Amino acid sequence: MKLVLLSGGSGKRLWPLSNDSRSKQFLKVLVNPENEMESMVQRVWRQLGAAGLSESAYVATSKAQVEMIQSQLGSAPIIVEPERRDTFPAIALAATYLYSIVGVSLNEVVTILPVDPYVDEAFFNKINELEQLVLSTNADLALMGVTPTYPSEKYGYIVPKNGSEAKVGATDYHVVDRFTEKPDEETAKALIENSALWNCGVFAFKLDYMINHLINKGYPIQYEEMVKQYDKMTKISFDYEIVEKAEKLVVTAYDGYWKDLGTWNTLTEQMDTDQIGKGLISPCSTNTHLVNELDIPVVVLGLDNVVVATSPDGILVTEKNASPKIKDMLKNMEQRPMYEERRWGSYRVLDYKKFAEGQEILTKRMCIQAGKNISYQLHLKRSEVWTIVSGEGEFILDENYRKVKAGDVLVIPVGGRHAIRAITDLEYIEVQRGSELVEEDNIRLYLEWSEIMEQSKPV
Ligand SMILES: O=P(O)(O)OC[C@H]1O[C@](O)(CO)[C@@H](O)[C@@H]1O
């Protein structure tokens, strides 16, 4: 069996920690068994490893998230969508990748799951059961549904066919009768009485089912061709294009812990601590959480059922039940990301100023991890002055190589070709000066340090 984890959406529901480049699944707000902070993606990857499944897992995502996944999961294999289109195209691309690049047999089962379910280990054991279910029932698709714990109006429900209960080995399953999307509470209650399950986005199928679907629809089945034609794929969800049209669907129930940590109120319920970052919550505050990513302390006094979240992108103070409304509130607010994690480390914007005559100044703290480097690059619209704050590194400017250390000041003119590699963890303050100070003005010439060194000569 192969697993494909879908890593989608940028999502503003956990703003200001999530932004256009940092989706909720990458926020380090959970705690791992070693007592270190971990993100939802890291938690799932760790759990997959423990269940012996990470060897056969691939992460399907858009270009924008690749560096974040590499930085958080290391060498996890990634299938990159040329552009964001929806879950059917993403899964179709993954199927062609498995078929024509990895050489997976058409008889092998592929299981799709979201990259961020908050679940316990039993969830992954259940995923293992899906393989046998597909193979033994000859169903088009086998689904895993979560046994509901309350009549939620937020989720889709999978409704089983009455009297269709059967068993494969130790796995109980039903034939699926239909789906009901986000019912009202009364309908949800009736559905639950009818043994309906929450749809948690876990689907398993034999690879030939998907490949045949692509052939029938006239889509390519070779990965390279699919990449070329990706912009022509219909933007449609896998649920609409495949699941709801499949002839034989079976579902098995997972009755363990499952939670969607998509909003501040659900996320804070899962946090082991009521405070992350600098600050104080007064003892007279109840059910209140503080998540502070800034370097200054935040004091919360006498507030009940509140989340205070701060980051370089902004500050949120919300009553817990109102927190899901944040996405709507931010609809018309445009702002560049002020913090990003990259394959080489992270940066934070410390200050930004635009002068009347159009000149801009942007100051960043750049943190490069030992052994990593930024690309050999140039900028057309800005010059940069870097002050190395800590650590040691290697620096190249217009092919001239030199070692650098804390205290050195480096001046990079507009158009200057430059790169830096950290020998030890390296931090520098970068002052950019020019017009349009955006990440898009990074013209990358080479990425790998070995290639960059081939260009260099010692000063
Ligand atoms: O192209 P890369 O390797 O991601 O490097 C980009 C980084 O390099 C710089 O241009 C120079 O430090 C930063 O402003 C930017 O974040």
PDB file of all heavy atoms in Angstrom, residues 81-86 88-90 92-93 214 217-220 223-236 241:
ATOM      1  N   GLU A  81       2.530  19.897  -6.897  1.00  0.00           N
ATOM      2  CA  GLU A  81       1.552  20.403  -7.859  1.00  0.00           C
ATOM      3  C   GLU A  81       2.139  21.656  -8.506  1.00  0.00           C
ATOM      4  O   GLU A  81       2.585  22.552  -7.794  1.00  0.00           O
ATOM      5  CB  GLU A  81       0.283  20.868  -7.157  1.00  0.00           C
ATOM      6  CG  GLU A  81      -0.561  19.807  -6.530  1.00  0.00           C
ATOM      7  CD  GLU A  81      -1.583  20.492  -5.621  1.00  0.00           C
ATOM      8  OE1 GLU A  81      -2.496  21.136  -6.154  1.00  0.00           O
ATOM      9  OE2 GLU A  81      -1.434  20.398  -4.400  1.00  0.00           O
ATOM     10  N   PRO A  82       2.099  21.744  -9.847  1.00  0.00           N
ATOM     11  CA  PRO A  82       2.619  22.953 -10.495  1.00  0.00           C
ATOM     12  C   PRO A  82       1.853  24.191 -10.053  1.00  0.00           C
ATOM     13  O   PRO A  82       2.390  25.288 -10.018  1.00  0.00           O
ATOM     14  CB  PRO A  82       2.390  22.699 -11.986  1.00  0.00           C
ATOM     15  CG  PRO A  82       2.118  21.243 -12.112  1.00  0.00           C
ATOM     16  CD  PRO A  82       1.608  20.742 -10.803  1.00  0.00           C
ATOM     17  N   GLU A  83       0.584  24.058  -9.755  1.00  0.00           N
ATOM     18  CA  GLU A  83      -0.214  25.165  -9.218  1.00  0.00           C
ATOM     19  C   GLU A  83      -1.342  24.562  -8.398  1.00  0.00           C
ATOM     20  O   GLU A  83      -1.651  23.385  -8.544  1.00  0.00           O
ATOM     21  CB  GLU A  83      -0.809  26.007 -10.360  1.00  0.00           C
ATOM     22  CG  GLU A  83      -1.740  25.207 -11.248  1.00  0.00           C
ATOM     23  CD  GLU A  83      -2.298  26.010 -12.399  1.00  0.00           C
ATOM     24  OE1 GLU A  83      -1.644  26.037 -13.465  1.00  0.00           O
ATOM     25  OE2 GLU A  83      -3.363  26.604 -12.224  1.00  0.00           O
ATOM     26  N   ARG A  84      -1.940  25.397  -7.554  1.00  0.00           N
ATOM     27  CA  ARG A  84      -3.013  24.885  -6.703  1.00  0.00           C
ATOM     28  C   ARG A  84      -4.302  24.765  -7.513  1.00  0.00           C
ATOM     29  O   ARG A  84      -4.731  25.719  -8.144  1.00  0.00           O
ATOM     30  CB  ARG A  84      -3.180  25.879  -5.541  1.00  0.00           C
ATOM     31  CG  ARG A  84      -4.320  25.581  -4.670  1.00  0.00           C
ATOM     32  CD  ARG A  84      -3.952  25.421  -3.224  1.00  0.00           C
ATOM     33  NE  ARG A  84      -3.157  24.250  -2.936  1.00  0.00           N
ATOM     34  CZ  ARG A  84      -2.421  24.124  -1.842  1.00  0.00           C
ATOM     35  NH1 ARG A  84      -2.350  25.090  -0.990  1.00  0.00           N
ATOM     36  NH2 ARG A  84      -1.754  23.019  -1.612  1.00  0.00           N
ATOM     37  N   ARG A  85      -4.920  23.544  -7.532  1.00  0.00           N
ATOM     38  CA  ARG A  85      -6.157  23.406  -8.307  1.00  0.00           C
ATOM     39  C   ARG A  85      -7.297  22.783  -7.515  1.00  0.00           C
ATOM     40  O   ARG A  85      -8.390  23.060  -7.724  1.00  0.00           O
ATOM     41  CB  ARG A  85      -5.905  22.619  -9.600  1.00  0.00           C
ATOM     42  CG  ARG A  85      -5.109  23.421 -10.606  1.00  0.00           C
ATOM     43  CD  ARG A  85      -5.229  22.895 -12.010  1.00  0.00           C
ATOM     44  NE  ARG A  85      -6.419  23.305 -12.704  1.00  0.00           N
ATOM     45  CZ  ARG A  85      -6.647  24.533 -13.169  1.00  0.00           C
ATOM     46  NH1 ARG A  85      -5.744  25.466 -12.979  1.00  0.00           N
ATOM     47  NH2 ARG A  85      -7.751  24.828 -13.797  1.00  0.00           N
ATOM     48  N   ASP A  86      -7.177  21.881  -6.678  1.00  0.00           N
ATOM     49  CA  ASP A  86      -8.221  21.258  -5.858  1.00  0.00           C
ATOM     50  C   ASP A  86      -7.795  19.810  -5.641  1.00  0.00           C
ATOM     51  O   ASP A  86      -6.760  19.363  -6.165  1.00  0.00           O
ATOM     52  CB  ASP A  86      -9.636  21.325  -6.482  1.00  0.00           C
ATOM     53  CG  ASP A  86     -10.717  21.377  -5.383  1.00  0.00           C
ATOM     54  OD1 ASP A  86     -10.491  20.744  -4.330  1.00  0.00           O
ATOM     55  OD2 ASP A  86     -11.755  22.027  -5.530  1.00  0.00           O
ATOM     56  N   PHE A  88      -9.093  16.784  -6.567  1.00  0.00           N
ATOM     57  CA  PHE A  88      -9.074  15.781  -7.642  1.00  0.00           C
ATOM     58  C   PHE A  88      -7.797  15.906  -8.487  1.00  0.00           C
ATOM     59  O   PHE A  88      -7.075  14.911  -8.652  1.00  0.00           O
ATOM     60  CB  PHE A  88     -10.345  15.840  -8.513  1.00  0.00           C
ATOM     61  CG  PHE A  88     -10.201  15.036  -9.768  1.00  0.00           C
ATOM     62  CD1 PHE A  88     -10.079  13.653  -9.707  1.00  0.00           C
ATOM     63  CD2 PHE A  88     -10.117  15.658 -11.012  1.00  0.00           C
ATOM     64  CE1 PHE A  88      -9.888  12.896 -10.862  1.00  0.00           C
ATOM     65  CE2 PHE A  88      -9.927  14.915 -12.164  1.00  0.00           C
ATOM     66  CZ  PHE A  88      -9.814  13.536 -12.088  1.00  0.00           C
ATOM     67  N   PRO A  89      -7.488  17.099  -9.015  1.00  0.00           N
ATOM     68  CA  PRO A  89      -6.233  17.197  -9.770  1.00  0.00           C
ATOM     69  C   PRO A  89      -5.010  16.779  -8.944  1.00  0.00           C
ATOM     70  O   PRO A  89      -4.117  16.103  -9.462  1.00  0.00           O
ATOM     71  CB  PRO A  89      -6.150  18.682 -10.139  1.00  0.00           C
ATOM     72  CG  PRO A  89      -7.538  19.170 -10.067  1.00  0.00           C
ATOM     73  CD  PRO A  89      -8.254  18.360  -9.034  1.00  0.00           C
ATOM     74  N   ALA A  90      -4.976  17.137  -7.664  1.00  0.00           N
ATOM     75  CA  ALA A  90      -3.807  16.803  -6.832  1.00  0.00           C
ATOM     76  C   ALA A  90      -3.652  15.278  -6.713  1.00  0.00           C
ATOM     77  O   ALA A  90      -2.549  14.737  -6.807  1.00  0.00           O
ATOM     78  CB  ALA A  90      -3.942  17.435  -5.455  1.00  0.00           C
ATOM     79  N   ALA A  92      -4.970  13.046  -8.816  1.00  0.00           N
ATOM     80  CA  ALA A  92      -4.685  12.522 -10.156  1.00  0.00           C
ATOM     81  C   ALA A  92      -3.181  12.625 -10.436  1.00  0.00           C
ATOM     82  O   ALA A  92      -2.558  11.675 -10.929  1.00  0.00           O
ATOM     83  CB  ALA A  92      -5.486  13.310 -11.194  1.00  0.00           C
ATOM     84  N   LEU A  93      -2.599  13.761 -10.087  1.00  0.00           N
ATOM     85  CA  LEU A  93      -1.154  13.958 -10.302  1.00  0.00           C
ATOM     86  C   LEU A  93      -0.356  12.927  -9.498  1.00  0.00           C
ATOM     87  O   LEU A  93       0.581  12.305 -10.005  1.00  0.00           O
ATOM     88  CB  LEU A  93      -0.769  15.377  -9.872  1.00  0.00           C
ATOM     89  CG  LEU A  93       0.693  15.751 -10.034  1.00  0.00           C
ATOM     90  CD1 LEU A  93       1.013  16.045 -11.502  1.00  0.00           C
ATOM     91  CD2 LEU A  93       1.056  16.976  -9.195  1.00  0.00           C
ATOM     92  N   LEU A 214      -8.706   8.296 -15.352  1.00  0.00           N
ATOM     93  CA  LEU A 214      -7.994   9.325 -16.127  1.00  0.00           C
ATOM     94  C   LEU A 214      -8.046   8.987 -17.622  1.00  0.00           C
ATOM     95  O   LEU A 214      -8.274   9.860 -18.461  1.00  0.00           O
ATOM     96  CB  LEU A 214      -6.533   9.433 -15.655  1.00  0.00           C
ATOM     97  CG  LEU A 214      -6.342   9.921 -14.217  1.00  0.00           C
ATOM     98  CD1 LEU A 214      -4.861   9.955 -13.847  1.00  0.00           C
ATOM     99  CD2 LEU A 214      -6.945  11.318 -14.032  1.00  0.00           C
ATOM    100  N   LYS A 217     -11.386   9.744 -19.054  1.00  0.00           N
ATOM    101  CA  LYS A 217     -11.659  11.185 -19.164  1.00  0.00           C
ATOM    102  C   LYS A 217     -10.732  11.881 -20.163  1.00  0.00           C
ATOM    103  O   LYS A 217     -10.780  13.098 -20.322  1.00  0.00           O
ATOM    104  CB  LYS A 217     -11.456  11.844 -17.796  1.00  0.00           C
ATOM    105  CG  LYS A 217     -12.569  11.557 -16.814  1.00  0.00           C
ATOM    106  CD  LYS A 217     -13.632  12.621 -16.992  1.00  0.00           C
ATOM    107  CE  LYS A 217     -14.867  12.326 -16.200  1.00  0.00           C
ATOM    108  NZ  LYS A 217     -15.619  13.505 -15.847  1.00  0.00           N
ATOM    109  N   GLY A 218      -9.826  11.097 -20.743  1.00  0.00           N
ATOM    110  CA  GLY A 218      -8.898  11.676 -21.712  1.00  0.00           C
ATOM    111  C   GLY A 218      -7.748  12.453 -21.078  1.00  0.00           C
ATOM    112  O   GLY A 218      -7.098  13.256 -21.740  1.00  0.00           O
ATOM    113  N   TYR A 219      -7.504  12.220 -19.785  1.00  0.00           N
ATOM    114  CA  TYR A 219      -6.380  12.889 -19.129  1.00  0.00           C
ATOM    115  C   TYR A 219      -5.122  12.034 -19.271  1.00  0.00           C
ATOM    116  O   TYR A 219      -5.212  10.805 -19.391  1.00  0.00           O
ATOM    117  CB  TYR A 219      -6.656  13.073 -17.631  1.00  0.00           C
ATOM    118  CG  TYR A 219      -7.675  14.139 -17.298  1.00  0.00           C
ATOM    119  CD1 TYR A 219      -8.773  13.840 -16.480  1.00  0.00           C
ATOM    120  CD2 TYR A 219      -7.530  15.439 -17.765  1.00  0.00           C
ATOM    121  CE1 TYR A 219      -9.709  14.818 -16.151  1.00  0.00           C
ATOM    122  CE2 TYR A 219      -8.460  16.411 -17.438  1.00  0.00           C
ATOM    123  CZ  TYR A 219      -9.541  16.106 -16.629  1.00  0.00           C
ATOM    124  OH  TYR A 219     -10.451  17.073 -16.307  1.00  0.00           O
ATOM    125  N   PRO A 220      -3.932  12.644 -19.220  1.00  0.00           N
ATOM    126  CA  PRO A 220      -2.699  11.854 -19.334  1.00  0.00           C
ATOM    127  C   PRO A 220      -2.479  10.936 -18.126  1.00  0.00           C
ATOM    128  O   PRO A 220      -2.935  11.263 -17.026  1.00  0.00           O
ATOM    129  CB  PRO A 220      -1.593  12.912 -19.394  1.00  0.00           C
ATOM    130  CG  PRO A 220      -2.210  14.209 -19.109  1.00  0.00           C
ATOM    131  CD  PRO A 220      -3.681  14.085 -19.092  1.00  0.00           C
ATOM    132  N   TYR A 223       3.260  11.006 -15.749  1.00  0.00           N
ATOM    133  CA  TYR A 223       3.434  12.157 -14.858  1.00  0.00           C
ATOM    134  C   TYR A 223       3.885  13.427 -15.604  1.00  0.00           C
ATOM    135  O   TYR A 223       3.300  14.496 -15.450  1.00  0.00           O
ATOM    136  CB  TYR A 223       4.437  11.764 -13.760  1.00  0.00           C
ATOM    137  CG  TYR A 223       4.876  12.896 -12.890  1.00  0.00           C
ATOM    138  CD1 TYR A 223       4.022  13.403 -11.921  1.00  0.00           C
ATOM    139  CD2 TYR A 223       6.143  13.459 -13.023  1.00  0.00           C
ATOM    140  CE1 TYR A 223       4.427  14.454 -11.101  1.00  0.00           C
ATOM    141  CE2 TYR A 223       6.549  14.501 -12.219  1.00  0.00           C
ATOM    142  CZ  TYR A 223       5.689  14.998 -11.266  1.00  0.00           C
ATOM    143  OH  TYR A 223       6.093  16.028 -10.475  1.00  0.00           O
ATOM    144  N   GLU A 224       4.927  13.280 -16.456  1.00  0.00           N
ATOM    145  CA  GLU A 224       5.450  14.495 -17.126  1.00  0.00           C
ATOM    146  C   GLU A 224       4.371  15.183 -17.951  1.00  0.00           C
ATOM    147  O   GLU A 224       4.273  16.400 -17.994  1.00  0.00           O
ATOM    148  CB  GLU A 224       6.638  14.168 -18.050  1.00  0.00           C
ATOM    149  CG  GLU A 224       7.974  14.156 -17.335  1.00  0.00           C
ATOM    150  CD  GLU A 224       8.361  12.747 -16.952  1.00  0.00           C
ATOM    151  OE1 GLU A 224       7.629  11.815 -17.357  1.00  0.00           O
ATOM    152  OE2 GLU A 224       9.375  12.576 -16.238  1.00  0.00           O
ATOM    153  N   GLU A 225       3.562  14.353 -18.626  1.00  0.00           N
ATOM    154  CA  GLU A 225       2.493  14.897 -19.466  1.00  0.00           C
ATOM    155  C   GLU A 225       1.426  15.567 -18.583  1.00  0.00           C
ATOM    156  O   GLU A 225       0.896  16.637 -18.907  1.00  0.00           O
ATOM    157  CB  GLU A 225       1.911  13.726 -20.280  1.00  0.00           C
ATOM    158  CG  GLU A 225       1.259  14.090 -21.589  1.00  0.00           C
ATOM    159  CD  GLU A 225       1.955  15.187 -22.392  1.00  0.00           C
ATOM    160  OE1 GLU A 225       3.192  15.126 -22.641  1.00  0.00           O
ATOM    161  OE2 GLU A 225       1.249  16.138 -22.729  1.00  0.00           O
ATOM    162  N   MET A 226       1.143  14.918 -17.447  1.00  0.00           N
ATOM    163  CA  MET A 226       0.149  15.471 -16.511  1.00  0.00           C
ATOM    164  C   MET A 226       0.613  16.837 -15.997  1.00  0.00           C
ATOM    165  O   MET A 226      -0.180  17.776 -15.898  1.00  0.00           O
ATOM    166  CB  MET A 226      -0.062  14.481 -15.360  1.00  0.00           C
ATOM    167  CG  MET A 226      -0.988  14.951 -14.286  1.00  0.00           C
ATOM    168  SD  MET A 226      -2.655  15.261 -14.880  1.00  0.00           S
ATOM    169  CE  MET A 226      -3.483  13.760 -14.489  1.00  0.00           C
ATOM    170  N   VAL A 227       1.914  16.939 -15.704  1.00  0.00           N
ATOM    171  CA  VAL A 227       2.448  18.228 -15.228  1.00  0.00           C
ATOM    172  C   VAL A 227       2.217  19.300 -16.287  1.00  0.00           C
ATOM    173  O   VAL A 227       1.758  20.409 -15.991  1.00  0.00           O
ATOM    174  CB  VAL A 227       3.955  18.108 -14.873  1.00  0.00           C
ATOM    175  CG1 VAL A 227       4.583  19.471 -14.650  1.00  0.00           C
ATOM    176  CG2 VAL A 227       4.144  17.230 -13.642  1.00  0.00           C
ATOM    177  N   LYS A 228       2.492  18.938 -17.557  1.00  0.00           N
ATOM    178  CA  LYS A 228       2.328  19.918 -18.650  1.00  0.00           C
ATOM    179  C   LYS A 228       0.881  20.368 -18.781  1.00  0.00           C
ATOM    180  O   LYS A 228       0.602  21.508 -19.093  1.00  0.00           O
ATOM    181  CB  LYS A 228       2.771  19.297 -19.985  1.00  0.00           C
ATOM    182  CG  LYS A 228       4.256  19.270 -20.163  1.00  0.00           C
ATOM    183  CD  LYS A 228       4.600  18.899 -21.607  1.00  0.00           C
ATOM    184  CE  LYS A 228       5.997  18.298 -21.636  1.00  0.00           C
ATOM    185  NZ  LYS A 228       6.130  17.206 -22.589  1.00  0.00           N
ATOM    186  N   GLN A 229      -0.047  19.403 -18.589  1.00  0.00           N
ATOM    187  CA  GLN A 229      -1.459  19.743 -18.824  1.00  0.00           C
ATOM    188  C   GLN A 229      -2.209  20.107 -17.539  1.00  0.00           C
ATOM    189  O   GLN A 229      -3.430  20.210 -17.538  1.00  0.00           O
ATOM    190  CB  GLN A 229      -2.163  18.542 -19.477  1.00  0.00           C
ATOM    191  CG  GLN A 229      -1.616  18.236 -20.834  1.00  0.00           C
ATOM    192  CD  GLN A 229      -2.464  17.204 -21.559  1.00  0.00           C
ATOM    193  OE1 GLN A 229      -3.652  17.070 -21.327  1.00  0.00           O
ATOM    194  NE2 GLN A 229      -1.832  16.450 -22.432  1.00  0.00           N
ATOM    195  N   TYR A 230      -1.462  20.268 -16.458  1.00  0.00           N
ATOM    196  CA  TYR A 230      -2.107  20.449 -15.150  1.00  0.00           C
ATOM    197  C   TYR A 230      -3.028  21.665 -15.121  1.00  0.00           C
ATOM    198  O   TYR A 230      -4.092  21.638 -14.520  1.00  0.00           O
ATOM    199  CB  TYR A 230      -1.033  20.575 -14.054  1.00  0.00           C
ATOM    200  CG  TYR A 230      -1.573  20.254 -12.675  1.00  0.00           C
ATOM    201  CD1 TYR A 230      -1.931  18.957 -12.337  1.00  0.00           C
ATOM    202  CD2 TYR A 230      -1.736  21.250 -11.720  1.00  0.00           C
ATOM    203  CE1 TYR A 230      -2.429  18.659 -11.086  1.00  0.00           C
ATOM    204  CE2 TYR A 230      -2.229  20.957 -10.464  1.00  0.00           C
ATOM    205  CZ  TYR A 230      -2.576  19.658 -10.148  1.00  0.00           C
ATOM    206  OH  TYR A 230      -3.089  19.363  -8.903  1.00  0.00           O
ATOM    207  N   ASP A 231      -2.617  22.717 -15.835  1.00  0.00           N
ATOM    208  CA  ASP A 231      -3.446  23.940 -15.801  1.00  0.00           C
ATOM    209  C   ASP A 231      -4.779  23.747 -16.517  1.00  0.00           C
ATOM    210  O   ASP A 231      -5.650  24.601 -16.449  1.00  0.00           O
ATOM    211  CB  ASP A 231      -2.666  25.132 -16.380  1.00  0.00           C
ATOM    212  CG  ASP A 231      -2.240  24.909 -17.819  1.00  0.00           C
ATOM    213  OD1 ASP A 231      -2.292  23.754 -18.289  1.00  0.00           O
ATOM    214  OD2 ASP A 231      -1.850  25.890 -18.474  1.00  0.00           O
ATOM    215  N   LYS A 232      -4.936  22.604 -17.204  1.00  0.00           N
ATOM    216  CA  LYS A 232      -6.220  22.372 -17.888  1.00  0.00           C
ATOM    217  C   LYS A 232      -7.124  21.430 -17.093  1.00  0.00           C
ATOM    218  O   LYS A 232      -8.268  21.182 -17.470  1.00  0.00           O
ATOM    219  CB  LYS A 232      -5.973  21.780 -19.276  1.00  0.00           C
ATOM    220  CG  LYS A 232      -5.205  22.737 -20.150  1.00  0.00           C
ATOM    221  CD  LYS A 232      -5.124  22.302 -21.596  1.00  0.00           C
ATOM    222  CE  LYS A 232      -4.139  23.178 -22.334  1.00  0.00           C
ATOM    223  NZ  LYS A 232      -2.726  23.004 -21.910  1.00  0.00           N
ATOM    224  N   MET A 233      -6.620  20.883 -16.001  1.00  0.00           N
ATOM    225  CA  MET A 233      -7.441  19.964 -15.184  1.00  0.00           C
ATOM    226  C   MET A 233      -8.576  20.766 -14.535  1.00  0.00           C
ATOM    227  O   MET A 233      -8.354  21.871 -14.037  1.00  0.00           O
ATOM    228  CB  MET A 233      -6.609  19.345 -14.053  1.00  0.00           C
ATOM    229  CG  MET A 233      -5.474  18.457 -14.486  1.00  0.00           C
ATOM    230  SD  MET A 233      -6.038  16.866 -15.077  1.00  0.00           S
ATOM    231  CE  MET A 233      -6.579  16.076 -13.577  1.00  0.00           C
ATOM    232  N   THR A 234      -9.774  20.167 -14.521  1.00  0.00           N
ATOM    233  CA  THR A 234     -10.902  20.862 -13.900  1.00  0.00           C
ATOM    234  C   THR A 234     -10.619  21.049 -12.413  1.00  0.00           C
ATOM    235  O   THR A 234     -10.139  20.127 -11.746  1.00  0.00           O
ATOM    236  CB  THR A 234     -12.175  19.992 -14.039  1.00  0.00           C
ATOM    237  OG1 THR A 234     -12.168  19.449 -15.349  1.00  0.00           O
ATOM    238  CG2 THR A 234     -13.434  20.792 -13.812  1.00  0.00           C
ATOM    239  N   LYS A 235     -10.947  22.238 -11.911  1.00  0.00           N
ATOM    240  CA  LYS A 235     -10.790  22.495 -10.467  1.00  0.00           C
ATOM    241  C   LYS A 235     -11.989  21.884  -9.770  1.00  0.00           C
ATOM    242  O   LYS A 235     -13.057  22.500  -9.722  1.00  0.00           O
ATOM    243  CB  LYS A 235     -10.762  23.998 -10.207  1.00  0.00           C
ATOM    244  CG  LYS A 235      -9.441  24.642 -10.423  1.00  0.00           C
ATOM    245  CD  LYS A 235      -9.454  26.059  -9.873  1.00  0.00           C
ATOM    246  CE  LYS A 235      -8.102  26.713 -10.120  1.00  0.00           C
ATOM    247  NZ  LYS A 235      -8.039  28.085  -9.713  1.00  0.00           N
ATOM    248  N   ILE A 236     -11.835  20.691  -9.266  1.00  0.00           N
ATOM    249  CA  ILE A 236     -12.970  20.015  -8.631  1.00  0.00           C
ATOM    250  C   ILE A 236     -12.433  19.135  -7.505  1.00  0.00           C
ATOM    251  O   ILE A 236     -11.288  18.652  -7.583  1.00  0.00           O
ATOM    252  CB  ILE A 236     -13.761  19.179  -9.694  1.00  0.00           C
ATOM    253  CG1 ILE A 236     -15.049  18.615  -9.106  1.00  0.00           C
ATOM    254  CG2 ILE A 236     -12.918  18.091 -10.296  1.00  0.00           C
ATOM    255  CD1 ILE A 236     -15.995  18.033 -10.150  1.00  0.00           C
ATOM    256  N   GLU A 241     -15.728  14.592  -7.888  1.00  0.00           N
ATOM    257  CA  GLU A 241     -15.354  13.952  -9.145  1.00  0.00           C
ATOM    258  C   GLU A 241     -15.339  12.424  -9.030  1.00  0.00           C
ATOM    259  O   GLU A 241     -15.691  11.728  -9.962  1.00  0.00           O
ATOM    260  CB  GLU A 241     -13.973  14.470  -9.591  1.00  0.00           C
ATOM    261  CG  GLU A 241     -13.395  13.816 -10.827  1.00  0.00           C
ATOM    262  CD  GLU A 241     -14.144  14.151 -12.119  1.00  0.00           C
ATOM    263  OE1 GLU A 241     -14.841  15.183 -12.156  1.00  0.00           O
ATOM    264  OE2 GLU A 241     -14.035  13.360 -13.082  1.00  0.00           O
TER     265      GLU A 241
END
